[in-house]
Amino acid sequence: RFQGCCVVVMRTMDGKAVVKMPDVFEQELVVDFRDLRPLEPNCSVSTHSLTRSDLNGRLGRINKAETLEEGKLKYVTCLWNASINAWEEHKLMKIAANKVHPMSNLGELTLGNHHEWLQWRKSEKHCNFRDAAGNNHEEGSHRFPIKYAGRASLHSKLLRSASTGIGIFLMYAIRFPNDFEKRRHSSFYQKPRWPLLVWLHGAGGSTFFTQTKKSLQSRGLLFAADHFVVVSPHCRWTWKQKPGQWVLELVESLQLASWVDESRTYLSGCSMGGMGTWELAAAQPRLFAAVAPVAAHHHLEARSTIAEALHRMPILAVSSTADETCSLQEERSLWQALLQRDAVLQVEISDTYNHMALFDAAFCDSVFLYRWLLMFRKTQEAEARDV
């Protein structure tokens, strides 16, 4: 595993490793061998090049990694038996690391079948994301809202139907820019890269492009569809809970793709998603070039942590005095804590929009928020400060 992403080591030389990313990333990388980690327990793999041909192409689950005395890595693996629809728990096998292919933690994501214009509930791809923790999930925790249910592959169905959990599968939606296919195939010498906008919905909300059908042709969403790779994680937490840290793993994985401009990664969200914007950005500020919490709230006990972590982060905060849900006064206290640390903070306050209307005001009626974000890039100096 490299930076949270499952990779295949192609060859090694002088302390470096050439690793093949999942096909959807469209690139190989040369990395420091010390930055690679064995696959975790419960990671899903497929087998290949085994002496017994009937075992090749089988779905497997890592039980544990074992390093032999000569330095070779093997995985104790449990295989899925499709004929009985169960794991062969009693037949654990030791398989060399070069004879298993890890399944992509980005699920069924592909670059094909791309829509070149916005269409209601057809423009986004819905995929499963598997975090790196390998925690078992309780029965039923894999069920997702109908509006998030993409067309699952056989592989993901097998994973979710297993009687013993093999890790947490979490949903996200992704949409590629309108000119994605055209520019990818017309640029021979240098692959185009697009900014990555990670958007967090509010409680009970939906994806970025399925908030309302009416907003789909708004000036703001059309601009976003032209200029960003937009990712909408399914925010399964509540107002009282901390945001899911798996979102940061998802961002880290996507930043390795050849079509993502890592230096222009932005985080934004509305309502509960605004709270998630504050707290996730504070957890890993090095991942983002700028953030934009809208109609946001934050946990009071996290205020000083957020202010300290984000005082070098460009921030655009959008709120309203007419917001009856999220206290403007509490947000002002956070803004003040940031300004006391000389933060790069811009605040836009409305006197008319209520809580429910702030999504349209910030993301649909104007392109200001998007253009503001695009003014900023991550720099190596900024990343070094955040480490």
Side-chain angles (χ1 to χ4, degrees), residues 337-358:
L338 284 162
L339 291 174
Q340 289 174 353
R341 294 168 170 81
D342 298 322
V344 182
L345 171 67
Q346 181 167 337
V347 176
E348 297 291 326
I349 301 179
S350 166
D351 294 325
T352 57
Y353 291 106
N354 62 27
H355 186 75
M356 300 302 294
L358 278 170

Side-chain angles (χ1 to χ4, degrees), residues 68-136:
L68 305 182
E69 290 184 2
E70 57 270 28
K72 293 183 178 180
L73 180 65
K74 286 197 172 186
Y75 292 111
V76 179
T77 308
C78 176
L79 298 182
W80 175 264
N81 190 326
S83 62
I84 61 173
N85 202 39
W87 295 105
E88 297 178 338
E89 301 281 1
H90 60 292
K91 294 182 180 179
L92 297 180
M93 300 180 58
K94 289 187 178 182
I95 304 177
N98 62 350
K99 294 187 178 181
V100 297
H101 274 301
M103 298 293 188
S104 172
N105 53 344
L106 297 180
E108 303 86 17
L109 180 60
T110 64
L111 300 182
N113 301 319
H114 171 67
H115 292 274
E116 295 185 359
W117 62 90
L118 285 178
Q119 299 182 56
W120 179 243
R121 292 190 174 176
K122 293 182 180 180
S123 295
E124 295 167 300
K125 297 175 183 288
H126 297 264
C127 303
N128 295 325
F129 177 75
R130 185 185 185 282
D131 70 4
N135 297 317
N136 293 339

